[in-house]
């Protein structure tokens, strides 16, 4: 009858609302779980260097008290070590503050000054090459220099993130190539940095979600550690510079991330 039909319809609607709620609950649970993993990793990352700074300070103090640290050279080396660990921690904390700011939808205060993107890329390539023996990390560019006006520390973080991902998600090794070039598009000039690897790649249907906060692709989740926040921050930083980031990838073949940054001049 008509009443039965109406009732059935109501039941179907209720069931669909229940399913939606259930999915929402599961998503929320997943997000909470990921956040606590993220916090655990962050505190671990900050605690270790702090323990070593404390240890070094106490050691220097004991040596001074005993009077067996008359060797000024050794004293300076110890203090330099403390200084460099503290500098690294301060950069990590700034990165966390940025992440929190971006998460709340607040813009970053960019510290924009001219710098040479080619030498920054070269420096980061050399730095990351030293961290791996499995990969051949290299810079390819025809440009002697490429000076633009961006926030150097933030762009350094962007490129560092892309480089360490390229290495991390190529567990078998392979080439990691960074190119720096210029492009003309949308009536203006762009500085473009590509980071290409021959690693695991990203499943095609997951590509659109790769820049979402906490998102990790199914081919790495549970196998390679990570938090899924790096690329979300990378995209925000690039976009706040008026730039954009894109990715092409083939699962099992490798990926290329391209960062486009506006060059000074007529827009
Ligand atoms: P994390 O590396 O901590 O998981 P990211 O935000 O940097 O977080 O990256 C998000 C996800 O994007 C990664 O979990 C991984 O699935 C995928 N990804 C990023 N870079 C690469 C890459 N070079 N090759 C393959 N997958 C990548």
């Amino acid at each position: 009858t008509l009443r039965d039909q109406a009732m059935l319809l109501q039941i179907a609607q209720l069931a669909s609302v229940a399913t939606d709620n259930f999915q929402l609950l599961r998503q929320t649970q997943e997000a909470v779980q990921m956040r606590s993993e993220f916090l655990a990793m962050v505190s671990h990352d900050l605690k270790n260097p702090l323990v070593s700074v404390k240890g070094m300070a106490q050691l220097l103090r004991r040596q001074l008290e005993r009077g067996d640290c008359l060797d000024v050279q050794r004293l300076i080396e110890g203090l330099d070590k403390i200084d460099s660990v503290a500098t690294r921690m301060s950069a990590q904390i700034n990165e966390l503050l940025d992440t929190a700011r971006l998460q709340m939808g607040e813009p970053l205060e960019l510290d924009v000054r001219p710098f040479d993107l080619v030498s920054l890329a070269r420096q980061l390539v050399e730095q990351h090459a030293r961290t791996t023996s499995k990969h051949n990390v290299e810079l390819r560019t025809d440009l002697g220099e490429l000076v633009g006006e961006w926030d150097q520390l933030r762009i350094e973080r962007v490129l560092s993130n892309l480089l360490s991902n390229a290495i991390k998600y190529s567990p078998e090794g392979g080439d990691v190539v960074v190119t720096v070039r210029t492009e003309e598009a949308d009536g203006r000039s762009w500085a473009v940095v590509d980071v290409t690897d021959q690693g695991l790649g990203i499943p095609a249907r997951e590509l659109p979600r790769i820049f979402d906060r906490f998102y990790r692709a199914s081919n790495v989740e549970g196998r390679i550690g990570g938090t899924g926040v790096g690329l979300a921050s990378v995209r925000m930083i690039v976009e706040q510079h008026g730039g954009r980031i894109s990715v092409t990838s083939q699962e099992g073949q490798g990926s290329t991330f391209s960062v486009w940054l506006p060059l000074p001049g007529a827009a």
Side-chain angles (χ1 to χ4, degrees):
T1 67
L2 229 96
R3 242 185 79 204
D4 289 344
Q5 270 180 0
M7 234 164 78
L8 274 177
L9 201 70
Q10 222 176 2
I11 291 173
Q13 273 169 351
L14 280 177
S16 122
V17 170
T19 319
D20 282 355
N21 280 341
F22 182 68
Q23 263 172 3
L24 207 67
L25 183 69
R26 241 191 37 201
Q27 280 168 1
T28 313
Q29 277 171 340
E30 276 173 18
V32 168
Q33 166 76 10
M34 281 191 276
R35 258 163 229 242
S36 46
E37 278 169 20
F38 174 65
L39 273 182
M41 202 170 112
V42 162
S43 24
H44 174 261
D45 278 2
L46 288 178
K47 209 173 158 192
N48 279 348
L50 202 54
V51 167
S52 83
V53 163
K54 217 172 135 110
M56 282 187 279
Q58 285 168 350
L59 181 74
L60 285 181
R61 197 202 149 94
R62 271 201 304 276
Q63 286 176 337
L64 278 172
E65 268 174 356
R66 284 204 307 262
D68 64 354
C69 193
L70 299 174
D71 184 349
V72 177
Q73 193 53 39
R74 266 180 58 198
L75 188 59
I76 290 178
E77 275 169 23
L79 290 172
D80 279 350
K81 243 188 225 158
I82 291 178
D83 190 29
S84 85
V85 177
T87 306
R88 217 175 57 222
M89 286 182 70
S90 151
Q92 272 176 314
I93 290 172
N94 283 338
E95 189 171 348
L96 274 175
L97 289 177
D98 270 12
T99 308
R101 235 172 253 147
L102 294 171
Q103 201 162 358
M104 289 186 288
E106 286 173 21
L108 302 176
E109 261 176 53
L110 296 180
D111 180 14
V112 173
R113 292 158 210 236
F115 71 87
D116 173 21
L117 194 57
V118 174
S119 38
L120 178 67
R122 182 170 299 121
Q123 180 197 321
L124 292 174
V125 162
E126 283 166 8
Q127 194 179 308
H128 282 80
R130 281 196 292 270
T131 66
T132 169
S133 53
K134 271 188 169 180
H135 305 80
N136 172 39
V137 190
E138 64 175 88
L139 174 72
R140 286 188 201 152
T141 184
D142 296 333
L143 305 167
E145 63 166 26
L146 182 55
V147 177
E149 291 179 12
W150 310 291
D151 184 324
Q152 180 160 358
L153 284 180
R154 262 73 175 241
I155 297 303
E156 183 174 332
R157 205 182 300 150
V158 164
L159 300 182
S160 264
N161 252 298
L162 297 180
L163 266 163
S164 35
N165 276 351
I167 292 170
K168 177 163 88 167
Y169 296 117
S170 311
E172 305 296 327
D175 293 342
V176 173
V177 179
V178 176
T179 59
V180 183
R181 58 198 167 94
T182 55
E183 284 283 344
E184 299 298 318
D186 305 327
R188 68 171 310 158
S189 307
W190 302 84
V192 185
V193 183
D194 310 289
V195 180
T196 302
D197 65 63
Q198 301 174 314
L200 298 174
I202 299 155
R205 62 174 193 293
E206 297 183 58
L207 269 180
R209 301 194 56 190
I210 217 69
F211 295 100
D212 291 356
R213 193 168 302 281
F214 299 129
Y215 191 80
R216 309 201 66 226
S218 55
N219 61 334
V220 310
E221 178 64 343
R223 283 177 237 180
I224 298 177
T227 55
V229 298
L231 284 184
S233 297
V234 159
R235 179 171 65 177
M236 299 280 231
I237 292 173
V238 171
E239 286 179 354
Q240 292 205 7
H241 278 82
R244 58 191 154 90
I245 180 163
S246 60
V247 55
T248 55
S249 186
Q250 197 86 44
E251 197 178 355
Q253 308 272 305
S255 314
T256 297
F257 286 83
S258 303
V259 173
W260 290 60
L261 293 170
L263 278 165

